[in-house]
Amino acid sequence: MPDTMLEDLPEWLVVDEILVWLPPKDVLRCRAVRKSWRVATSTDRFILDHHRRQPLLPIIEHDEGIYCLAAAGAQKILRLVVRYSPDPVSNIAFCDGLLILSRQSSFYICNPATRKCALLPCPPLRPGFRAPNVVAFYRHDASPREYRVLWVFSAHMARRTTYEPPRYFILPVGSDQPRCIQWPTVLQSYPASCDLPPVHHRGALHWELSLGITVLDTVTETFRHMSYPAQLHGGVFSLFHLGGDLALRHTSGDCLTQDVWVLQDYDAEMWAFRHRIDLRAMEVSPPLPLDFADAYFAPMMAVINERELLISMALTACCIVTSRVCF
């Protein structure tokens, strides 16, 4: 585009309607053209707006490493991390399109958009504890350009006669100085891995655990407990966002029904029942067998939008039935 045409365009139009739609590598090139473009593309708002406009590219975990499907039309599969047999590579955590990967007890932070990886420093080993593990990867609300990693050390209980609480450390990405945070001994259930990633809501991380919800305030860096709705007992719980609220899904012990609750008053911890999903009444193709409750694992669920949930139920025979629920 000639300079004369660019000069005729308002600065906000170039940034908000042109640069924000460009691929990441083209944005990097444009940052070198003008100082004003470099400043405008460095703001938190631009970075998030640009990230939301990028295509969703599936991450593929394979025996030979981790790959990323290229943008539509490119017909390429891009290799992100190579597996050196017999060292497996696994996806640990993600935030805003960034990934934390693990290989041979080492952790890497990876940007699939630029296909670049960097070694992530780990807190030093502690006597009597297992190797550290990543529990959460999140953007810090008080300093939105800063990403942080929450690590945990779990004690070798076989070597101890008394309960030893876990040790948690927070390490900002780009720093090598981990900071220890206190774990309150009154909390018996604690997050130990990223197998169940937390829900980031109102500046806090929320984990659904067997005895309730464990919450980490990312500003004060303190843990606390949050209760499930008093009416619920047993079954399987999971947390998710629904229309800007923190929501809870409760699956019954027989996997036949799923109840959706919304935290109506966050500070008072008041839950409101929103909807009951009876899987036996679902219209799906192919039809569900009459004894599907015995053959299915606990159904998985994801939010499509404020009115639709995507529920997936997998048979032991690897038949997958997917249906949408509107409410």
Side-chain angles (χ1 to χ4, degrees):
M1 182 180 292
D3 289 341
T4 53
M5 295 180 63
L6 287 175
E7 294 294 343
D8 294 337
L9 294 177
E11 187 79 13
W12 67 266
L13 183 63
V14 175
V15 175
D16 295 343
E17 299 298 333
I18 298 178
L19 299 183
V20 76
W21 290 97
L22 296 179
K25 287 190 174 182
D26 291 334
V27 173
L28 292 177
R29 295 189 183 100
C30 291
R31 287 168 57 87
V33 175
R34 291 187 177 184
K35 182 179 180 180
S36 60
W37 291 2
R38 184 171 66 254
V39 172
T41 56
S42 299
T43 64
D44 298 325
R45 184 180 66 85
F46 178 89
I47 292 172
L48 289 177
D49 287 346
H50 180 265
H51 172 69
R52 295 189 183 104
R53 286 170 169 79
Q54 298 307 302
L56 297 177
L57 305 180
I59 301 297
I60 304 168
E61 191 167 340
H62 188 266
D63 289 342
E64 297 182 359
I66 293 181
Y67 296 77
C68 177
L69 185 65
Q75 297 182 351
K76 293 181 180 178
I77 296 180
L78 308 175
R79 185 165 58 185
L80 301 178
V81 179
V82 181
R83 171 186 173 180
Y84 296 98
S85 183
D87 303 328
V89 179
S90 57
N91 183 14
I92 299 296
F94 61 91
C95 178
D96 290 348
L98 300 175
L99 304 176
I100 292 183
L101 310 174
S102 171
R103 184 179 69 205
Q104 204 177 24
S105 300
S106 297
F107 294 87
Y108 302 84
I109 186 168
C110 176
N111 186 343
T114 59
R115 304 201 302 278
K116 293 183 178 180
C117 292
L119 184 65
L120 191 65
C122 299
L125 294 176
R126 303 180 66 85
F129 286 80
R130 299 185 181 93
N133 197 12
V134 173
V135 176
F137 178 37
Y138 59 96
R139 177 192 287 265
H140 192 239
D141 290 347
S143 43
R145 294 192 64 181
E146 182 176 285
Y147 291 91
R148 296 186 177 182
V149 181
L150 179 65
W151 300 83
V152 63
F153 286 88
S154 300
H156 285 289
M157 298 309 297
R159 305 177 185 176
R160 300 178 182 273
T161 57
T162 59
Y163 171 75
E164 182 72 23
R167 304 291 176 86
Y168 284 91
F169 290 82
I170 289 180
L171 184 67
V173 174
S175 170
D176 59 357
Q177 299 295 322
R179 182 173 59 260
C180 182
I181 60 175
Q182 185 66 35
W183 171 260
T185 55
V186 294
L187 297 182
Q188 297 300 319
S189 297
Y190 63 91
S193 70
C194 264
D195 293 340
L196 291 175
V199 175
H200 196 168
H201 182 70
R202 290 188 58 165
L205 305 179
H206 302 75
W207 291 268
E208 68 275 8
L209 300 171
S210 58
L211 300 179
I213 301 170
T214 295
V215 183
L216 172 64
D217 188 314
T218 62
V219 177
T220 63
E221 296 184 346
T222 55
F223 287 97
R224 62 182 176 89
H225 176 80
M226 178 182 288
S227 298
Y228 291 133
Q231 302 91 325
L232 301 182
H233 303 282
V236 179
F237 299 90
S238 62
L239 296 172
F240 60 98
H241 278 122
L242 186 63
D245 295 321
L246 184 66
L248 172 73
R249 176 189 65 146
H250 173 254
T251 303
S252 60
D254 56 10
C255 298
L256 294 176
T257 61
Q258 299 190 60
D259 292 340
V260 177
W261 294 72
V262 173
L263 194 56
Q264 198 168 44
D265 189 326
Y266 184 88
D267 296 324
E269 297 186 13
M270 293 180 58
W271 294 89
F273 176 75
R274 177 66 60 87
H275 192 75
R276 167 160 289 182
I277 303 168
D278 189 340
L279 299 180
R280 295 166 294 188
M282 303 278 293
E283 295 183 2
V284 298
S285 179
L288 295 175
L290 297 178
D291 60 345
F292 76 96
D294 297 328
Y296 279 74
F297 300 103
M300 299 177 63
M301 187 179 75
V303 177
I304 298 178
N305 52 51
E306 293 185 7
R307 296 188 57 83
E308 292 183 312
L309 303 175
L310 181 66
I311 299 177
S312 174
M313 299 165 289
L315 281 167
T316 54
C318 298
C319 174
I320 297 178
V321 181
T322 305
S323 55
R324 290 184 177 181
V325 180
C326 299
F327 63 99

